[in-house]
């Protein structure tokens, strides 16, 4: 049985590299992403949706097919985070709102970098046996 990895921050530099490594191993892992439904992100992940047989959707929601699921949402919304973590064995958080944008939008940076991880931990703890079963890997930066 394949393990399920929920990846946050897949559209960023570190997250995209992690996603591509997971994608190469999709015979071993089911992959779940939480990605903001921006036009850029939709274009970035559309080829992978197509390869997995998942229907592209407009806006927020869930696209799913052949061991690949994208929750098109926002990590600052607990409901979106919980949807992405449901059924996960591993959570890989490469999500960060960093400079220079973080310098101009400190409230957004706090929401993503602090409230987002709080939502992840809370969602893990809310799963049946989550705190004991689901493993969390968190990356950070001093940038």
């Amino acid at each position: 049985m394949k393990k399920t990895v929920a990846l946050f921050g897949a559209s960023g530099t570190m997250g995209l590299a992690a996603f591509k490594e997971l994608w190469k191993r999709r015979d071993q892992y089911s992959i779940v992403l939480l990605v903001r439904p921006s036009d850029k992100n939709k274009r970035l992940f559309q080829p992978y949706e197509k390869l997995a047989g998942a229907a592209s959707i407009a806006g927020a929601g869930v696209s799913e097919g052949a061991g690949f699921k994208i929750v098109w949402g926002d990590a600052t919304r607990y409901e979106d985070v919980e949807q992405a973590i449901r059924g996960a064995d591993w959570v890989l958080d490469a999500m960060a709102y960093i400079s220079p944008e973080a310098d101009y939008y400190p409230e957004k940076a706090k929401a993503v970098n602090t409230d987002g991880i709080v939502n992840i931990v809370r969602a893990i703890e809310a799963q049946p046996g989550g705190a004991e079963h689901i493993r969390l890997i968190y990356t950070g930066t001093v940038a």
Side-chain angles (χ1 to χ4, degrees):
M1 186 169 201
K2 292 199 274 186
K3 297 288 186 180
T4 299
V5 178
L7 174 60
F8 292 77
S11 62
T13 304
M14 287 191 297
L16 187 57
F19 168 72
K20 288 179 178 179
E21 289 301 318
L22 285 169
W23 186 259
K24 288 179 198 175
R25 295 163 177 83
R26 64 188 181 278
D27 60 322
Q28 300 169 41
Y29 301 101
S30 294
I31 304 166
V32 180
L33 307 179
L34 175 69
V35 183
R36 287 176 298 107
S38 68
D39 290 341
K40 175 187 164 246
N41 290 344
K42 292 282 188 173
R43 283 190 305 275
L44 179 63
F45 290 102
Q46 187 175 34
Y48 299 101
E49 285 178 309
K50 188 173 185 176
L51 286 169
S56 295
I57 62 169
V62 176
S63 174
E64 188 170 8
F68 180 55
K69 175 178 168 182
I70 301 179
V71 177
W72 293 104
D74 189 321
T76 64
R77 288 181 29 88
Y78 176 78
E79 298 79 12
D80 295 344
V81 172
E82 195 279 330
Q83 171 70 27
I85 288 176
R86 195 177 305 143
D89 298 291
W90 288 88
V91 175
L92 176 55
D93 181 12
M95 167 183 69
Y97 197 81
I98 60 172
S99 295
E101 291 84 6
D103 298 328
Y104 299 115
Y105 306 102
E107 297 84 16
K108 180 76 170 173
K110 181 194 178 294
V112 171
N113 298 340
T114 303
D115 301 340
I117 190 65
V118 167
N119 285 339
I120 290 170
V121 171
R122 195 171 133 218
I124 288 171
E125 291 175 341
Q127 301 309 303
E132 294 80 28
H133 170 73
I134 301 170
R135 302 293 179 242
L136 170 64
I137 299 171
Y138 175 74
T139 62
T141 178
V142 294

